[in-house]
Amino acid sequence: MNAPVRRLSIVVAILFASLLVSTTLIQYVFAADLNARPDNRRTLLSTYARERGSILVGQTSVASSVPVDDQFKFQREYSNGELYAHVTGSYSFYGASGGLEQAENAYLSGSSDKLFYRRVSDLFTGRRPQGATLETTLDPAVQRAAVKAMTGIRGAAVALDPKTGAILAMVSQPTFDPNDLAGHDLTALDENYDKLNTDPQRPLVNRTINGDLYPPGSIFKVITAAAALSSGEYTEDSVLPGPAVLNLPGTTASLPNMFDGACGANDKVSFTRAMAISCNTAFAAVGMDIGADALRAQAEKFGFGDSLSVPMRVTPSTIPAELNMPQLAQSSIGQFDVRVTPLQMAMVAAGVANDGTVMKPYLVQSVIGSDLSVIDTTDPQELSQAVTPDVAAQLTRMMEAVVSDGSGTRAQIDGVAVAGKSGTAQHGEGRKPHAWFISFAPADDPQIAVAVIAEDGGVTGSEIGGGRVAAPIARQMMEARLK
Amino acid sequence: MSVVSSYTPRRGRNVELVLLIGAVAIVLLAYVNVGLATSETIPPGTMALAGGYLAMAVGFHLVLRWRASYADPLMLPIITLLNGLGLVMIHRIDLANGTSISDGVALRQLMWTGVAVVIAAAVLVVLRDHRVLRRYTYLAGVVGFVLLLLPLMPVIGTSIYGARIWIRIGSMSFQPGEIAKIALAVFFAGYLVQTRDALSVAGRKVLGLTLPRARDLGPILIAWLASLAVLVFERDLGSSLLFFGLFVAMLYVATERVSWIAIGLTLFAAGAYVAYLIFGHVQTRVLLWLDTFSPEALQASDQLAKGLMGMAAGGMFGTGLGRGRPDLTYFAESDFIIPSFGEEIGLVGLFALLMLYVLLVQRGLRTSLGTRDGFGKLLAAGLSFSLALQCFVVVGGVTRVIPLTGLTMPFLSSGGSSLLANWTLVAILLRISDHARRPMPEVNLAHEVGQAHTEVVRMP
């Protein structure tokens, strides 16, 4: 009977071999798929059990994980929650949502490949793995100034360091408290989320980079002027036609100024003056003269159409691919289908401020490991050379005129030369226009570039809406930086 | 010069003692590891527990020295290690569930381990020769089938989580199938030794297979019906597969005829297919097996899915003992103890565990090969194969090789009846191995052969 017993042992070997295969399939081959299943509580719990990295503004932590005595082990806390809500996003039982929490989840949770060797050493030293800490580029003074100035206003404000592209402030109003979305009480969490998500004011949307795109209105004239000056056919002193109303070729439609009357004597106006008083007819004429391609190319040099991540994804600003003459005339003054994010317009101001070089915007200055070693730092990167330094200098002088003696006088700061441009963007019949302001200061050595939008904050039929409502906000942000 | 020197087989008792100490040391380390991982302290009373466990194992070892000194030296260390690791995991799940050591499942398991060791030692002391069991062939058969079908009895039979494999008397619940496994192996061995000639010789040849006579088919049909009854009425595919598989394997070993395997597999496949067509609970099991993560399957039960996710979380090297979340799986300390281990000691650790079982089964089959009597040979092969098959059914169930069933992992899973039965099973194997490895009664060949002188004959 020994022969069948030997054969039986082969059967046993086959049985166990099949178990080795099945366990290998589960624990090695398909493990990643199983771990990635949305209904896998272990994955979530293990990321909770790991101490998530903090998010720093200056030296202050605005998002941190504090130990708690429940199964999740750590609770995410946001000091100054509402102030930095759109920068931090939130982190809950459901995972990271919005802001840096989501965009830099790999670093914060400690699962990034760049932390691999640290994880290996954690494994051998028995140290509990920790996520990395993010140091942001935000200037808390600028951020606070923006939020304070925007009290009661729906809209957005972004400030950049024009020389590096570092984001100094990122404010979207109305805001929310991320602590409401980080609790461990599921019912409360669901309720809070539903409330915020169904709020018609849409507090969860980060209007600076990925809300609905806005029409830019007259602040787009900076781009039109840049294209015109770059063409070599115009200078800051060129004399332009500036009638009260411009007839658009090929249609019966006409394009008026936002104020009554012509831009200058004999329907003539200098380029600088046209910028200062935001003369629609002059800019429409310039736009039609240089052509749609030149205008679009100039906009793209400032970053239109680019897919940026700061590291949150930024919705690309758009300018239509096909423009007939009347549409070109309207586009030249920021109407028709031109759509922008506040960040994009801050990049325009920053590009002009930085001798025509647009820097790539970024929000994370450095990534710091749990042992305080620097894992990654952001080196400023050039995005494009939008205009020549000479054109940039001319644009700067034109924008200074806006603030010193034009539609943006409310952005003036004592003892500092400020360059700016106001805008009032219509966005539908019977609705109040959006009030815009972009600016930078000091004009001769720019430290900060700003874009501000106050939704429905303008005054219908008036060009000074942007100057009246948005310029003071920009001014307070610039003052906070320069102080 | 003597050409035949007297050969003394190695008993291996000292090797066994060293391995035993090693096994207890591993269990001790695992226990301390759990304590450090969960509360960052070495649990109080560690040395007392380790000492107690070592004393239990060494006590059994001494019984072997006394009553079965030639027994296989690997089996006891292996089951000591498995049982100890099972205890540690059960304790670890107790901790996760927030129960203290005094009212947890682990303490009950420890108590049952003690009872099982004592009973297994008693079996070794009382049962001086395994061939005695042959006298009780038919009694064992009756006992085996009664135990197997006992849960079907009204009043005492209890259905727990859909499987009717328990009996409950007062507050005691018991899984009689575990003991039935041994009784039936004894019965099959005794019966087949008697009838193997008839079963293996007579018959007609069809398509290269020698088919048995119709009247010899009786026993296999009875075994088949019994296993189908278990499948259908106790809703227990695992036990059904185990008993029928055991029977067919032993039938094959006894007769060396492949036709029995063909007939057995055909019968089982046909029975299982008909059961699938007729019974809803079988269909549910199959759905869970084939399409674990479909919404319909998750609706029915997500326990398999949770076990799989636990194993996946462990990956290659595991989370470390005490650092996973095996408590998120249902029955983490019994039916799903393998996923619990998979999560915390990883694929590598699980391989090591499975290899321990392979080694144990292999020692059992080796015992069968070395045994001189047919009954012992069949019994050792049957018991070893039943261990292997049970491991396959349990691990295969939680890793989707076969539909999930409710069997316990020998020595690891929590459960008194299982511990008792498997310790006794190994005690019987040890008894047979003692017999197999014991030298033949002294026949001094040297006297008969005498001194032979060698001569070198020079060829011209």
Side-chain angles (χ1 to χ4, degrees):
Chain A
M1 285 191 281
N2 278 358
V5 172
R6 286 182 206 283
R7 270 177 234 130
L8 198 62
S9 63
I10 294 171
V11 173
V12 168
I14 293 170
L15 290 182
F16 276 93
S18 74
L19 297 182
L20 298 186
V21 170
S22 68
T23 47
T24 306
L25 286 177
I26 293 165
Q27 297 202 256
Y28 182 72
V29 181
F30 299 127
D33 293 345
L34 286 165
N35 285 331
R37 289 189 59 80
D39 53 353
N40 193 330
R41 263 167 55 87
R42 275 184 183 77
T43 306
L44 207 59
L45 289 173
S46 73
T47 53
Y48 251 99
R50 179 182 291 167
E51 188 173 351
R52 195 173 170 83
S54 303
I55 300 174
L56 304 180
V57 172
Q59 296 302 309
T60 315
S61 163
V62 296
S64 55
S65 287
V66 292
V68 287
D69 201 18
D70 65 13
Q71 61 165 335
F72 304 115
K73 295 204 171 68
F74 288 98
Q75 161 83 55
R76 201 69 169 154
E77 273 189 9
Y78 300 91
S79 61
N80 294 311
E82 297 197 334
L83 185 54
Y84 296 107
H86 293 100
V87 172
T88 57
S90 63
Y91 182 74
S92 74
F93 187 83
Y94 294 119
S97 168
L100 290 173
E101 293 278 25
Q102 187 175 7
E104 294 288 27
N105 185 45
Y107 275 134
L108 289 167
S109 69
S111 64
S112 165
D113 287 341
K114 289 193 177 160
L115 304 173
F116 177 76
Y117 292 105
R118 215 163 295 265
R119 286 210 305 276
V120 170
S121 78
D122 285 351
L123 191 70
F124 288 110
T125 56
R127 191 170 46 196
R128 283 199 184 274
Q130 269 185 316
T133 289
L134 303 179
E135 197 179 42
T136 65
T137 57
L138 293 182
D139 180 336
V142 180
Q143 181 88 1
R144 276 180 202 285
V147 169
K148 188 162 166 252
M150 289 186 79
T151 307
I153 291 174
R154 193 174 71 240
V158 194
L160 296 173
D161 180 336
K163 289 172 182 153
T164 60
I167 297 174
L168 301 174
M170 177 176 267
V171 172
S172 177
Q173 295 281 46
T175 183
F176 62 99
D177 187 352
N179 289 304
D180 291 343
L181 299 180
H184 289 171
D185 177 351
L186 268 184
T187 325
L189 203 61
D190 285 343
E191 265 174 30
N192 291 340
Y193 182 75
D194 280 347
K195 210 173 96 203
L196 288 168
N197 205 29
T198 55
D199 187 333
Q201 302 283 323
R202 301 200 300 160
L204 291 177
V205 172
N206 184 351
R207 292 168 156 82
T208 59
I209 54 171
N210 51 18
D212 297 335
L213 295 174
Y214 296 106
S218 297
I219 53 171
F220 191 79
K221 286 172 184 163
V222 175
I223 294 173
T224 308
L229 296 173
S230 297
S231 72
E233 290 168 30
Y234 292 86
T235 69
E236 58 191 309
D237 300 321
S238 296
V239 174
L240 311 174
V245 174
L246 190 72
N247 291 315
L248 299 178
T251 63
T252 55
S254 57
L255 189 149
N257 283 321
M258 293 282 271
F259 45 86
D260 290 330
C263 300
N266 305 323
D267 288 355
K268 298 282 183 204
V269 64
S270 80
F271 210 157
T272 301
R273 184 65 189 159
M275 178 75 98
I277 62 171
S278 203
C279 174
N280 281 350
T281 52
F283 275 87
V286 167
M288 288 192 288
D289 181 43
I290 58 173
D293 293 339
L295 190 65
R296 193 180 304 109
Q298 184 64 66
E300 283 167 1
K301 278 185 179 173
F302 276 110
F304 276 61
D306 283 352
S307 295
L308 296 173
S309 52
V310 291
M312 293 91 92
R313 216 183 68 79
V314 182
T315 311
S317 300
T318 60
I319 183 165
E322 295 287 330
L323 289 171
N324 61 27
M325 270 302 166
Q327 290 168 348
L328 172 59
Q330 287 186 302
S331 297
S332 304
I333 58 165
Q335 296 290 351
F336 190 56
D337 282 344
V338 179
R339 292 291 180 272
V340 299
T341 59
L343 178 69
Q344 172 61 63
M345 294 320 291
M347 286 161 66
V348 171
V352 173
N354 192 34
D355 294 334
T357 306
V358 181
M359 302 301 289
K360 207 172 154 201
Y362 62 96
L363 190 51
V364 177
Q365 185 59 58
S366 53
V367 181
I368 301 162
S370 52
D371 55 356
L372 302 182
S373 67
V374 175
I375 293 163
D376 200 6
T377 52
T378 309
D379 295 321
Q381 273 187 320
E382 210 178 295
L383 186 71
S384 66
Q385 183 72 37
V387 291
T388 62
D390 174 49
V391 169
Q394 295 188 58
L395 285 170
T396 302
R397 283 191 288 275
M398 291 163 78
M399 288 170 73
E400 277 184 81
V402 171
V403 176
S404 61
D405 184 25
S407 59
T409 49
R410 284 167 199 253
Q412 287 171 5
I413 301 172
D414 277 350
V416 178
V418 176
K421 181 72 193 86
S422 64
T424 309
Q426 275 138 7
H427 60 107
E429 284 296 314
R431 299 181 64 177
K432 291 174 76 180
H434 297 322
W436 275 102
F437 202 78
I438 60 173
S439 62
F440 59 89
D444 49 353
D445 178 27
Q447 305 292 318
I448 178 171
V450 177
V452 174
I453 179 170
E455 289 182 20
D456 306 337
V459 180
T460 312
S462 162
E463 174 51 35
I464 58 167
R468 184 185 295 164
V469 181
I473 300 170
R475 189 197 78 226
Q476 287 173 60
M477 291 169 73
M478 292 186 290
E479 278 176 341
R481 180 67 176 172
L482 301 176
K483 204 163 45 185
Chain B
M1 283 291 286
S2 161
V3 279
V4 178
S5 63
S6 163
Y7 167 70
T8 315
R10 298 175 68 126
R11 290 189 168 93
R13 291 276 74 79
N14 293 335
V15 171
E16 178 179 80
L17 185 60
V18 171
L19 289 176
L20 262 187
I21 291 168
V24 174
I26 294 172
V27 172
L28 174 69
L29 279 176
Y31 180 66
V32 170
N33 190 343
V34 166
L36 287 175
T38 50
S39 60
E40 291 175 3
T41 50
I42 294 173
T46 296
M47 291 324 284
L49 271 174
Y53 195 63
L54 183 66
M56 223 174 328
V58 170
F60 198 96
H61 165 77
L62 292 176
V63 171
L64 282 179
R65 279 193 187 263
W66 174 38
R67 276 296 160 89
S69 62
Y70 285 94
D72 189 289
L74 275 184
M75 290 184 185
L76 179 61
I78 291 173
I79 63 174
T80 302
L81 181 52
L82 287 172
N83 194 336
L85 289 176
L87 275 167
V88 169
M89 181 52 78
I90 293 164
H91 166 66
R92 181 256 170 285
I93 290 162
D94 274 353
L95 287 179
N97 290 333
T99 42
S100 68
I101 201 154
S102 56
D103 59 355
V105 186
L107 187 69
R108 215 172 63 213
Q109 179 82 347
L110 187 60
M111 203 189 71
W112 273 111
T113 303
V115 172
V117 168
V118 168
I119 288 180
V123 165
L124 272 173
V125 172
V126 173
L127 187 70
R128 300 293 296 274
D129 188 330
H130 65 270
R131 285 170 295 194
V132 173
L133 288 173
R134 199 177 162 181
R135 287 184 213 150
Y136 305 107
T137 296
Y138 290 95
L139 181 62
V142 171
V143 168
F145 278 107
V146 166
L147 283 175
L148 190 56
L149 303 176
L150 204 54
L152 293 179
M153 297 269 293
V155 187
I156 58 168
T158 314
S159 185
I160 298 179
Y161 301 112
R164 197 180 171 110
I165 52 176
W166 298 78
I167 54 167
R168 187 180 286 278
I169 302 166
S171 65
M172 294 274 289
S173 60
F174 203 77
Q175 229 174 313
E178 295 282 353
I179 306 292
K181 182 171 66 181
I182 301 175
L184 287 175
V186 170
F187 166 64
F188 292 154
Y191 170 80
L192 291 170
V193 161
Q194 263 170 38
T195 53
R196 56 191 288 248
D197 294 339
L199 293 174
S200 58
V201 178
R204 286 180 299 140
K205 215 171 168 84
V206 177
L207 293 172
L209 282 179
T210 313
L211 291 183
R213 291 176 300 185
R215 64 167 181 237
D216 294 330
L217 278 172
I220 197 172
L221 288 177
I222 291 170
W224 177 62
L225 288 173
S227 71
L228 277 188
V230 169
L231 173 65
V232 169
F233 299 113
E234 299 186 8
R235 305 189 162 201
D236 184 4
L237 181 115
S239 301
S240 170
L241 190 64
L242 182 62
F243 298 125
F244 195 64
L246 174 63
F247 179 73
V248 171
M250 290 180 74
L251 192 56
Y252 168 68
V253 172
T255 61
E256 303 192 27
R257 273 169 62 162
V258 181
S259 61
W260 284 118
I261 294 181
I263 293 167
L265 288 180
T266 312
L267 282 174
F268 189 82
Y273 183 66
V274 170
Y276 170 76
L277 291 182
I278 297 175
F279 299 100
H281 66 269
V282 182
Q283 286 166 12
T284 308
R285 284 289 166 100
V286 172
L287 169 71
L288 283 169
W289 168 46
L290 293 177
D291 205 358
T292 315
F293 289 99
S294 67
E296 307 86 63
L298 290 174
Q299 184 81 28
S301 163
D302 62 347
Q303 59 170 335
L304 182 56
K306 285 192 164 174
L308 292 175
M309 290 193 260
M311 293 179 74
M316 275 299 272
F317 300 104
T319 57
L321 280 171
R323 289 201 167 172
R325 291 302 302 269
D327 54 303
L328 293 179
T329 310
Y330 313 108
F331 311 113
E333 76 290 341
S334 53
D335 296 6
F336 274 80
I337 200 158
I338 284 293
S340 302
F341 273 107
E343 179 172 0
E344 298 214 319
I345 63 179
L347 183 62
V348 173
L350 209 53
F351 268 34
L353 268 187
L354 289 174
M355 284 306 133
L356 286 176
Y357 285 101
V358 169
L359 211 51
L360 182 62
V361 171
Q362 186 265 337
R363 298 311 289 186
L365 290 171
R366 182 72 193 74
T367 295
S368 169
L369 287 177
T371 306
R372 291 176 282 264
D373 68 297
F375 174 77
K377 207 178 261 300
L378 265 179
L379 184 56
L383 291 177
S384 309
F385 187 69
S386 81
L387 265 183
L389 203 53
Q390 186 155 353
C391 291
F392 174 74
V393 168
V394 173
V395 184
V398 295
T399 60
R400 290 184 66 197
V401 180
I402 58 166
L404 182 65
T405 63
L407 285 187
T408 56
M409 195 66 183
F411 302 107
L412 283 185
S413 294
S414 120
S417 31
S418 167
L419 273 185
L420 212 65
N422 287 309
W423 271 91
T424 303
L425 188 155
V426 172
I428 295 172
L429 274 181
L430 282 166
R431 165 56 66 220
I432 302 173
S433 77
D434 174 56
H435 194 262
R437 289 158 44 92
R438 192 173 288 276
M440 295 285 269
E442 283 296 318
V443 180
N444 201 334
L445 293 171
H447 288 298
E448 288 164 28
V449 177
Q451 297 281 91
H453 296 282
T454 49
E455 268 176 38
V456 179
V457 179
R458 187 177 293 129
M459 300 300 283

